Amino acid sequence: MTSTVPSQTRKPPTQAIGAKIFHWCNIISLFIMLTSGLQIYNANPVFGGRAGLHIPPIFTLGGWLAGGRHWHFAAMWLFSLNLLWYGIYVLITRRWRHRFLGANDFKALQKTQNSQRLIYAWHRIAYTAIIPILLLALFTGIGMYKPAQFPWIVDMFGSWQALRIVHFASVPMVILFAVIHYQLGQKAGGSQLTESMFYKNPV
């Protein structure tokens, strides 16, 4: 006669409503900024001037330069305010202690054999690294948006073209972060964790 021991069921991941709103706002604003930014880019490509590589209209938003700018800056405000309130939320709830890189993460990368611990360490590295990249994107964007009001931003980068190149370079960095963030989330908790960031918590 054999006895069976019921297997432990793993508790489905749950997310606060604030985290869901933050992720949805990020996805929407980043998509609008990317597609409208490509519309702005087509007016005067970063490399090659007006005769440079142009993006097919199907990947752009706005229809023309002014339309692209309107969409781009509207999404920029949504993105910036979303980051601001989430930053305040992280500080108030003290979640920053678990979100960003610490000395223990470096030790984990060097010594631990626990794959889950390594995933968390790499995730905190990604979270920390994206902060200066996002600030750089917003900083250079403001300089391009209001060059007359903030000429010192243009001067910091030497020229208008250099400012455009740095701003343009921040885009693939953000996309790379999104891919890494998604992959690490999949390794940490599978599709349930990823879906819990956007949809109703599983039951």
Side-chain angles (χ1 to χ4, degrees):
M1 185 174 182
T2 59
S3 62
T4 58
V5 179
S7 59
Q8 277 190 327
T9 57
R10 188 175 180 179
K11 184 180 179 182
T14 59
Q15 307 297 334
I17 186 64
K20 296 178 189 291
I21 294 173
F22 172 73
H23 280 84
W24 271 115
C25 286
N26 269 350
I27 289 292
I28 294 170
S29 58
L30 283 171
F31 177 79
I32 295 174
M33 282 194 294
L34 176 61
T35 52
S36 60
L38 292 176
Q39 180 67 59
I40 298 170
Y41 166 89
N42 274 350
N44 185 17
V46 173
F47 304 105
R50 295 186 185 279
L53 175 67
H54 280 69
I55 308 299
I58 193 174
F59 299 114
T60 65
L61 176 66
W64 74 105
L65 175 59
R69 283 171 59 88
H70 291 329
W71 278 106
H72 197 70
F73 297 131
M76 179 271 291
W77 282 112
L78 172 62
F79 183 72
S80 302
L81 292 174
N82 190 45
L83 285 181
L84 177 61
W85 84 257
Y86 192 71
I88 295 172
Y89 170 72
V90 168
L91 286 174
I92 292 176
T93 59
R94 306 185 73 179
R95 289 172 180 262
W96 57 269
R97 295 178 299 175
H98 311 293
R99 290 289 188 271
F100 303 114
L101 185 64
N104 290 334
D105 295 310
F106 286 116
K107 294 178 182 178
L109 293 176
Q110 295 171 351
K111 298 179 181 180
T112 187
Q113 300 297 318
N114 187 322
S115 60
Q116 200 75 0
R117 180 66 183 89
L118 285 172
I119 291 171
Y120 292 145
W122 281 115
H123 223 147
R124 291 189 184 106
I125 290 173
Y127 268 128
T128 306
I130 196 61
I131 293 175
I133 295 173
L134 292 177
L135 292 177
L136 181 65
L138 292 171
F139 184 70
T140 53
I142 291 172
M144 295 171 64
Y145 182 31
K146 298 289 186 180
Q149 289 82 356
F150 302 100
W152 55 272
I153 296 181
V154 181
D155 294 339
M156 281 183 64
F157 293 88
S159 67
W160 174 262
Q161 179 65 4
L163 181 66
R164 292 184 73 223
I165 291 173
V166 174
H167 186 72
F168 185 78
S170 67
V171 176
M173 294 183 194
V174 174
I175 294 175
L176 178 62
F177 165 78
V179 172
I180 293 174
H181 182 40
Y182 172 79
Q183 292 293 337
L184 289 173
Q186 287 288 97
K187 290 183 178 180
S191 59
Q192 278 194 331
L193 177 60
T194 305
E195 292 171 2
S196 70
M197 290 291 182
F198 297 95
Y199 307 110
K200 183 179 178 181
N201 293 325
V203 293

